[in-house]
Amino acid sequence: MPQTPAADAQASTEASFPAAVRDAAVAALIALGLSAPMMGLVPVQSPQGLVLEQRWAPVAIAVAVVFAGRLLLNLTLWRPGRVKRVGYVPPKLEAKLAGLARFLGPLAIAGAVAMPLLPFTERYAIDLGILVLTYVMLGWGLNIVVGLAGLLDLGYVAFYAVGAYSYALLAQYFGLSFWICLPLAGILAAFWGVILGFPVLRLRGDYLAIVTLAFGEIIRIVLLNWYWVTGGPNGISGIPRPSFFGIDFDRGPDGFAATFGLDYSPLHRILFLYYLILALALLTNFVTIRLRRLPIGRAWEALREDEIACRSLGINTVTTKLTAFAIGASFAGFAGSFFATRQGFISPESFVFMESAMILAIVVLGGMGSQFGVAIAAVVMIGGFELFREFSDYRMITFGLVMVLVMIWRPRGLVSSRSPSVFLKEKKAISGSLVQEGHG
Amino acid sequence: MEYFLQQLINGVTLGSIYGLIAIGYTMVYGIVGMINFAHGDVFMVGAFMALIVYLALVAIGITFVPLALLVVLIVAMALTALYGWTVERIAYRPLRGSFRLAPLISAIGMSIFLQNYVQLAQGARVKPLPPVVPGGHQFGAAEGFVVNISNVQILIVVTTVALMAIFTVIVAKTSLGRAQRACEQDRKMASLLGVDVDRTISLTFVMGAALASVAGLMYLLYYGVVDFYIGFVAGVKAFTAAVLGGIGSLPGAMLGGLLIGLIETFWSAYFSVEYKDVAAFSILAIVLIFLPSGLLGRPEVEKV
Amino acid sequence: MTEELPALPDDVLLRVEHLTMRFGGLTAVNDVSFDVRRGEITALIGPNGAGKTTVFNCITGFYKPTAGRLPLKSHEGVLLLERLRDHQISRKANVARTFQNIRLFGGMTALENLLVAQHEPLMKASGLTVLGVLGIGGFNRAERQAIEKAKVWLERIGLIDRADDPAADLPYGDQRRLEIARAMCTNPVLLCLDEPAAGLNPRESLELNALLRSIRDDDGAAVLLIEHDMSVVMEISDHVVVLDYGKKISDGSPKAVRDDPKVIAAYLGVEDEEVADVEREVEGAEAAR
């Protein structure tokens, strides 16, 4: 399916070089209008109150970049007469890629298992791996709600918060261990998923998105202000670290190293956390794959395709949607309690709307419904995000820009084709353009 | 009583600001059927533009406040409108007719971009501006209670009412308004009948952004501070206002803005300031669940 | 429910009793009564805007009627359709339907479409998902049976070779038949079809007639259909009900209805006062013959 790039319709009909220059000049002029006041004049505090400081260098750079970029694009990608096929992948190739994913999946899992044991792997890489895997898990969890059931949830981070706070509070007040709290956190998150999900299920897509956003914010504000339970903005610290099924990772005689006759190393705990989140993520993946082949999973996808037809076939849309919400939320709950035990400290700061947007972006950019695409998107986004740590000022702005550009390039995400849950003779990938994305 | 009247006045002022932002949401939703997630940030850009233009005027020696404010209003509207136009052109137009989620994700990306762009360009610190419009009036001294109305509050309410009137006339009477309503009904048919759909949609974004910049100016005058983060919460509340009033309806947006402003003010005054955003968000949820077409909106019928 | 359920005669499957549906001030269906009998194909016809689809939506639970009752004999006994929620209509009352503008799950394969229709039994077999996730219980066997049933229907509608293709890729006529097969996979006692022949070419139309007859005769399901194509109606229906402006104006065998002057008047669009004239004309013509 050819996509229309952001090319001016006029620019593509005029064929000459001067036209391209003229168009780029207009764009540069607009850039000047946009950037001159915002970037060139900066109010700063002085003894006389706010005064404007002039900074014309960034404006000049911005205008030059826009002019050069637009000119270059006009002469290459947006050249008049060029068939516009940005982001187009032939269906056959796409099917091949989807088939490749079947081999790449196990390969990637093997790589993930082996990675920390490789001789050249540093501690930093394992830490990064833990972070990436947390987002892979969150992405897969949200994928159930957004990708399969087609319910647009912008408040997913709320369930992540419920999981984290459940573990922190249960451990703090009742002294329960991580392994008891993990399922409890999942159940509590699922419970909240049902509570918040129930009233909003009748809403259509955009409205559902905004209400879930509101719910996410409400939960965060409550966590922020409910001092005597949650510690407010100070959060909860001293959350117990995980134990190896009861054996602590410490130097003591009963510690992990001593028990197994190893030399004590702080790396043991990191490794344990890494394999823990890997196992949790793979569990999410396994359950999702199973669910897709069960009637409930098919009902989710059918719901995404056509809700009215579902009702005519005797599918209870309310409970079907609620299960999607609850199961998606429970995985966020698991991930949340993992997050709490890894950090040892949580505060509402970690559960802002940006996190929800990030997880949703992983799902949508990866390709809704595609487990493989979501994993790739999580690795690329979170990994990329961390690699650019030194340019932390420019990370978020780039992130926002990349979101816009990827949507323009491939509105359906990286892997857009759908693989059928069952087949008679031959499993054929279904082109993304046929797959609906849900209405509510 | 005294306290109540005072809060009423504060609520109406705040509601006017929300109403101005809400119009942008409601017009865009009406015509392209998407939540312009970046609109709150366009409002934030508008507030910055107002601040910068005002300081620039002070710097070149224009200190006569009414003239300065008029110039600020016009220039900030124009500059912010340019932002609105560009956002639509870059992030939304290429996705028109695409999958429903794509524009929403693109809008979230645009919102993140704008926030961080302003943070980078202008710094993360809040910008405090000493009161530009000082003074006010006291009422009720004779009756034994005192209620204050500041000149800023009067200015905000009057400007809002005037702009509201102007825009209602534009939408009701001009050919642009007719084209907008035609596109709302049926975009394909409108284009077959010779309406320039792209231009109409662009102008809708331009109008929305211009009004948001007025809201930004009002916000700046009222609170005296701006920072790069004000767009998010104000945006969600203004969207709530648009939904409450009935999305797609201009008077509805204004009414919704007023109600949200009043609810927030009274909630803060009588219950708790910390949970004022919870009040606004809860209303959003309640309205959408029980009254999805809003107060003045048209109900939507499910077609089987 | 203490209220006494109406006793239906043996051959009556669904009785529409004084059905009325108002939308605001508009009365779309006004006091309509008719019977749908077992082993028959009943056609509901009438000019555009006569209220046919509204009657359909009341029967299939998408609208709650303003007044009237809809007793139906399902596998479980007599039920009042207007008391059931939309998804229960299919589950409890065994009424299935298709839609005027085809509503297949376009991004899912033909086979998957037929499996979604068997949601209820499969859901039970998967132990409400819990056992299914763990891979225990009789789910695999139940799924094999469901696939077998789907295969039977794919054979019957001639789409077995396209079982693994997405429904949205199928030609229009095939989509219509697949939608009927999907509805039949829910084991209905009553199959409601909303303009099944719309947009079909003559050959496809003939295939459809054969399919509907076979559903009536081999599957024992009663068929209620809305149709504009008179040739289809006259050809296959056993019983025709005519609506006009929300009211029933005629009810009987295809022949009786075809000769009913009120029907002719409704289709020719004459005013009420002129009906008498038309009636006289028709009588005159018949006498002359």
Side-chain angles (χ1 to χ4, degrees), chain A residues 7-15 19 23 80:
Chain A
D8 233 336
Q10 278 141 8
S12 57
T13 48
E14 294 170 44
D23 176 70

Side-chain angles (χ1 to χ4, degrees), chain B residues 111-164:
Chain B
S111 162
I112 295 170
F113 175 84
L114 282 176
Q115 264 179 39
N116 289 279
Y117 162 72
V118 173
Q119 187 192 358
L120 276 178
Q122 297 281 320
R125 291 249 200 97
V126 295
K127 313 267 179 191
L129 182 72
V132 176
V133 185
H137 307 273
Q138 269 194 356
F139 292 96
E143 287 85 8
F145 59 86
V146 185
V147 175
N148 293 305
I149 298 186
S150 65
N151 285 334
V152 175
Q153 287 177 320
I154 295 173
L155 178 74
I156 289 174
V157 175
V158 169
T159 315
T160 305
V161 171
L163 279 170
M164 211 26 222

Side-chain angles (χ1 to χ4, degrees), chain A residues 8 34 38 41 43 45 50 52 152 199 202-204 207 210-211 225 311 368 396 408 411-412 437-438, chain B residues 37 56 83 89-90 95 98-101 104 106 109 116 122 127-128 239 247 274-275 288-289 300 302:
Chain A
D8 233 336
L34 291 173
M38 190 55 97
L41 300 168
Q45 280 296 355
L50 278 184
L52 285 179
L152 188 47
R202 284 185 306 158
L203 302 176
R204 291 176 300 112
Y207 280 10
I210 212 93
V211 171
N225 290 298
R311 285 193 256 156
M368 291 198 311
M396 285 311 288
I408 292 169
R412 299 235 83 169
E437 54 185 327
Chain B
F37 209 90
Y83 269 88
R89 191 68 188 71
I90 291 177
L95 289 170
S98 175
F99 304 102
R100 183 178 55 85
L101 266 183
L104 186 73
S106 173
N116 289 279
Q122 297 281 320
K127 313 267 179 191
F239 178 75
I247 201 133
E274 288 86 26
Y275 288 103
L288 277 177
I289 292 159
E300 211 169 281
E302 182 180 62

Side-chain angles (χ1 to χ4, degrees), chain B residues 43-300:
Chain B
F43 152 74
M44 178 270 298
V45 166
F48 268 91
M49 286 299 179
L51 175 66
I52 292 165
V53 175
Y54 177 75
L55 290 176
L57 290 177
V58 171
I60 59 172
I62 301 176
T63 47
F64 179 56
V65 171
L67 175 66
L69 284 185
L70 190 68
V71 176
V72 169
L73 184 74
I74 292 165
V75 178
M77 271 171 100
L79 289 173
T80 314
L82 189 61
Y83 269 88
W85 181 86
T86 313
V87 166
E88 193 273 335
R89 191 68 188 71
I90 291 177
Y92 305 151
R93 191 181 296 182
L95 289 170
R96 204 168 295 151
S98 175
F99 304 102
R100 183 178 55 85
L101 266 183
L104 186 73
I105 300 293
S106 173
I108 293 174
M110 207 60 199
S111 162
I112 295 170
F113 175 84
L114 282 176
Q115 264 179 39
N116 289 279
Y117 162 72
V118 173
Q119 187 192 358
L120 276 178
Q122 297 281 320
R125 291 249 200 97
V126 295
K127 313 267 179 191
L129 182 72
V132 176
V133 185
H137 307 273
Q138 269 194 356
F139 292 96
E143 287 85 8
F145 59 86
V146 185
V147 175
N148 293 305
I149 298 186
S150 65
N151 285 334
V152 175
Q153 287 177 320
I154 295 173
L155 178 74
I156 289 174
V157 175
V158 169
T159 315
T160 305
V161 171
L163 279 170
M164 211 26 222
I166 293 171
F167 273 80
T168 310
V169 170
I170 290 179
V171 171
K173 295 277 154 69
T174 63
S175 63
L176 168 65
R178 261 197 305 282
Q180 277 182 329
R181 278 174 288 144
C183 292
E184 261 175 55
Q185 295 282 325
D186 188 338
R187 219 184 294 158
K188 204 173 263 170
M189 195 62 210
S191 82
L192 285 176
L193 293 175
V195 174
D196 187 340
V197 174
D198 277 345
R199 186 171 154 271
T200 309
I201 292 176
S202 275
L203 281 172
T204 307
F205 275 83
V206 162
M207 279 163 68
L211 286 176
S213 85
V214 178
L217 169 64
M218 301 301 159
Y219 183 97
L220 176 70
L221 293 178
Y222 194 46
Y223 291 105
V225 286
V226 289
D227 67 64
F228 71 97
Y229 201 63
I230 58 172
F232 177 65
V233 172
V236 175
K237 285 182 190 162
F239 178 75
T240 308
V243 172
L244 178 60
I247 201 133
S249 148
L250 286 192
M254 215 51 236
L255 178 68
L258 217 53
L259 285 174
I260 293 291
L262 287 170
I263 291 166
E264 187 181 324
T265 312
F266 280 107
W267 183 279
S268 312
Y270 289 99
F271 298 103
S272 85
V273 184
E274 288 86 26
Y275 288 103
K276 71 177 164 116
D277 290 351
V278 171
F281 291 139
S282 309
I283 289 162
L284 173 68
I286 292 167
V287 169
L288 277 177
I289 292 159
F290 294 106
L291 197 72
S293 50
L295 294 171
L296 304 180
R298 284 184 302 268
E300 211 169 281

Side-chain angles (χ1 to χ4, degrees), chain A residues 71-133:
Chain A
L71 185 62
L72 207 65
L73 282 171
N74 280 341
L75 295 177
T76 56
L77 276 182
W78 298 343
R79 204 175 51 230
R82 189 176 183 276
V83 185
K84 291 169 187 163
R85 288 193 138 182
V86 182
Y88 175 77
V89 180
K92 275 211 175 133
L93 181 64
E94 190 157 339
K96 276 218 180 92
L97 284 176
L100 210 60
R102 244 176 290 161
F103 301 104
L104 285 179
L107 211 66
I109 293 172
V113 172
M115 191 274 274
L117 304 175
L118 298 176
F120 50 84
T121 304
E122 293 166 29
R123 180 181 164 164
Y124 170 72
I126 303 178
D127 272 332
L128 182 57
I130 293 175
L131 188 69
V132 168
L133 283 171

Side-chain angles (χ1 to χ4, degrees), chain C residues 90-106:
Chain C
S90 159
R91 230 183 245 194
K92 290 193 171 167
N94 314 112
V95 175
R97 74 169 290 176
T98 65
F99 297 87
Q100 200 169 332
N101 44 344
I102 305 173
R103 286 182 176 275
L104 284 169
F105 306 121

Side-chain angles (χ1 to χ4, degrees), chain C residues 76 101 141:
Chain C
E76 297 172 22
N101 44 344
R141 190 162 39 87

